[in-house]
């Protein structure tokens, strides 16, 4: 079994040019599949708001939801580097509150790092959490928690002005003490500048190929949503149709009586004559 990675391993991977791969997971089963497949990291993303809970976005996700899902993921993937995603509201009211919530992730859910969204605006928060000894991953570019302010889930950095803002955010999170940064939803050219500039690992989702690794949301990677697929996502499986077909077959077999078959049934231990007597007794009791 592979040894659990540390932030130093992730830095070594950057130095040698080996791409790190991560996926989101929210429960024990999918975390175990990711670990078995050899995933470098698992993000317990606040995308759980959409993937698990069916909300339109990530805003309703709470600290308690994140902690519970991180604990389940840790049980499923004890040897994988796990990143807990700080939900909206958990680091916005005060720096003290942010440090308190980051510590909850470390103490209650045994994560290896936390991730939070924003650049220049959250530099003081990143600095304080990093000073508490917790590994912080920044998240810049398209930041879903501020989608209302961005006018929707829109790619960022498409003009030189906007690109300058994303790059300034990247520098701010690095200077504040983030040990890695996730760049989401920007043109490849913008991520290339960040990747060539920052000495910390730069990971991407919808940010092109010039990164130290890629992350995908499990629902996108495994084709769990039929309604929607972001432009940058690739479907590596079609779980939605596999699951729908399997459920339809279960319904059919149960209704026609072919399930359960003999291999799904327990056998009696003891004398069958005794069971016949028992059956007759019960029949007499309830029918008579
Ligand atoms: O919550 C999440 O799933 C994310 C993705 C952008 C990776 O942050």
């Amino acid at each position: 079994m592979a040894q659990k990675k540390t932030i130093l391993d992730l830095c070594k991977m950057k130095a040698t040019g080996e791409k790190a791969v991560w996926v989101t997971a929210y429960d024990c089963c999918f975390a175990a599949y990711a670990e078995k497949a050899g995933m470098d990291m698992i993000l317990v993303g606040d995308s759980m708001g959409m993937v698990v809970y069916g909300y339109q976005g990530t805003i309703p996700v709470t600290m308690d939801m994140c902690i519970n899902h991180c604990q389940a993921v840790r049980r499923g993937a004890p040897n994988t580097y796990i990143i807990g995603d700080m939900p909206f509201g958990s680091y916005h009211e005060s720096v003290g509150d942010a440090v308190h919530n980051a510590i909850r992730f470390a103490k209650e859910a045994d994560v290896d790092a936390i991730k939070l969204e924003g650049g220049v605006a959250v530099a003081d928060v990143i600095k304080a959490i990093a000073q508490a000894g917790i590994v912080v991953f920044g998240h810049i570019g398209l930041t879903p928690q501020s989608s209302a302010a961005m006018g929707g889930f829109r790619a960022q950095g498409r003009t030189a002005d906007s690109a300058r803002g994303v790059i300034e955010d990247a520098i701010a999170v690095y200077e504040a003490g983030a040990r890695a940064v996730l760049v989401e939803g920007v043109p490849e050219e913008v991520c290339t500048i960040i990747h060539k500039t920052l000495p910390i690992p730069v990971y991407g989702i919808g940010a092109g190929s010039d990164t130290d690794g890629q992350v995908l949301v499990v629902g996108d990677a495994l084709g769990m949503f039929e309604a929607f697929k972001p432009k940058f996502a690739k479907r590596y499986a079609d779980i939605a149709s596999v699951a729908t077909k399997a459920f339809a077959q279960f319904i059919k077999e149960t209704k026609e009586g072919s399930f359960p078959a003999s291999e799904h049934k327990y056998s009696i231990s003891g004398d069958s004559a005794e069971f016949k007597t028992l059956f007759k007794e019960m029949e007499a009791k309830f029918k008579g």
Side-chain angles (χ1 to χ4, degrees):
M1 186 179 297
Q3 180 91 0
K4 183 159 75 113
K5 292 199 165 51
T6 68
I7 187 65
L8 298 182
D9 296 316
L10 300 174
C11 293
K12 262 186 228 148
M13 289 170 79
K14 176 184 177 73
T16 59
E18 184 191 345
K19 300 255 184 194
V21 188
W22 27 317
V23 72
T24 66
Y26 319 99
D27 66 13
C28 183
C29 275
F30 281 91
Y33 305 150
E35 179 162 299
K36 210 162 146 192
M39 205 58 77
D40 295 302
M41 289 178 266
I42 295 175
L43 168 68
V44 187
D46 64 351
S47 49
M48 70 175 73
M50 292 163 285
V51 181
V52 178
Y53 291 94
Y55 292 122
Q56 292 296 311
T58 57
I59 301 299
V61 175
T62 66
M63 269 303 294
D64 286 344
M65 285 155 79
C66 290
I67 296 286
N68 286 341
H69 286 279
C70 282
Q71 288 170 341
V73 167
R74 173 54 81 209
R75 287 191 281 270
N79 297 305
T80 302
Y81 195 92
I82 294 177
I83 306 152
D85 211 4
M86 293 195 67
F88 182 69
S90 69
Y91 57 99
H92 301 85
E93 291 185 37
S94 73
V95 171
D97 211 30
V99 174
H100 171 81
N101 285 323
I103 288 174
R104 278 196 67 193
F105 272 99
K107 273 176 111 77
E108 296 176 35
D110 190 22
V111 302
D112 299 286
I114 60 92
K115 172 171 88 56
L116 55 84
E117 296 182 9
V120 175
V122 293
D124 56 342
V125 167
I126 293 176
K127 191 169 179 190
I129 297 174
Q131 277 174 352
I134 294 172
V135 174
V136 181
F137 280 41
H139 179 165
I140 57 168
L142 194 178
T143 45
Q145 290 174 10
S146 16
S147 62
M150 290 174 167
F153 293 90
R154 307 165 73 87
Q156 302 294 300
R158 298 181 85 176
T159 63
D161 247 14
S162 166
R164 189 178 296 280
V166 177
I167 293 162
E168 281 169 3
D169 280 340
I171 294 167
V173 302
Y174 162 62
E175 288 181 345
R179 306 290 297 276
V181 64
L182 174 64
V183 185
E184 176 170 358
V186 303
E188 186 166 60
E189 291 79 354
V190 178
C191 197
T192 295
I193 296 174
I194 296 169
H195 185 222
K196 296 242 181 298
T197 313
L198 293 195
I200 55 175
V202 174
Y203 303 113
I205 177 163
S209 309
D210 203 355
T211 63
D212 296 307
Q214 296 286 329
V215 56
L216 281 177
V217 171
V218 65
D220 297 332
L222 299 186
M224 286 150 83
F225 301 117
E226 286 167 309
F228 178 69
K229 180 183 92 59
K231 174 183 167 61
F232 54 75
K234 178 167 176 185
R235 280 189 180 149
Y236 286 88
D238 188 1
I239 295 276
S241 70
V242 170
T244 309
K245 271 191 211 134
F247 288 155
Q249 186 69 12
F250 173 36
I251 294 167
K252 178 174 172 287
E253 290 185 11
T254 301
K255 289 190 186 285
E256 73 190 13
S258 60
F259 176 82
S262 56
E263 68 268 29
H264 308 118
K265 297 175 186 171
Y266 295 106
S267 57
I268 53 172
S269 67
D271 189 345
S272 66
E274 284 171 1
F275 277 85
K276 275 190 194 134
T277 310
L278 177 63
F279 179 59
K280 277 195 185 129
E281 264 174 43
M282 291 301 125
E283 214 176 21
K285 184 167 175 161
F286 289 105
K287 286 197 178 158

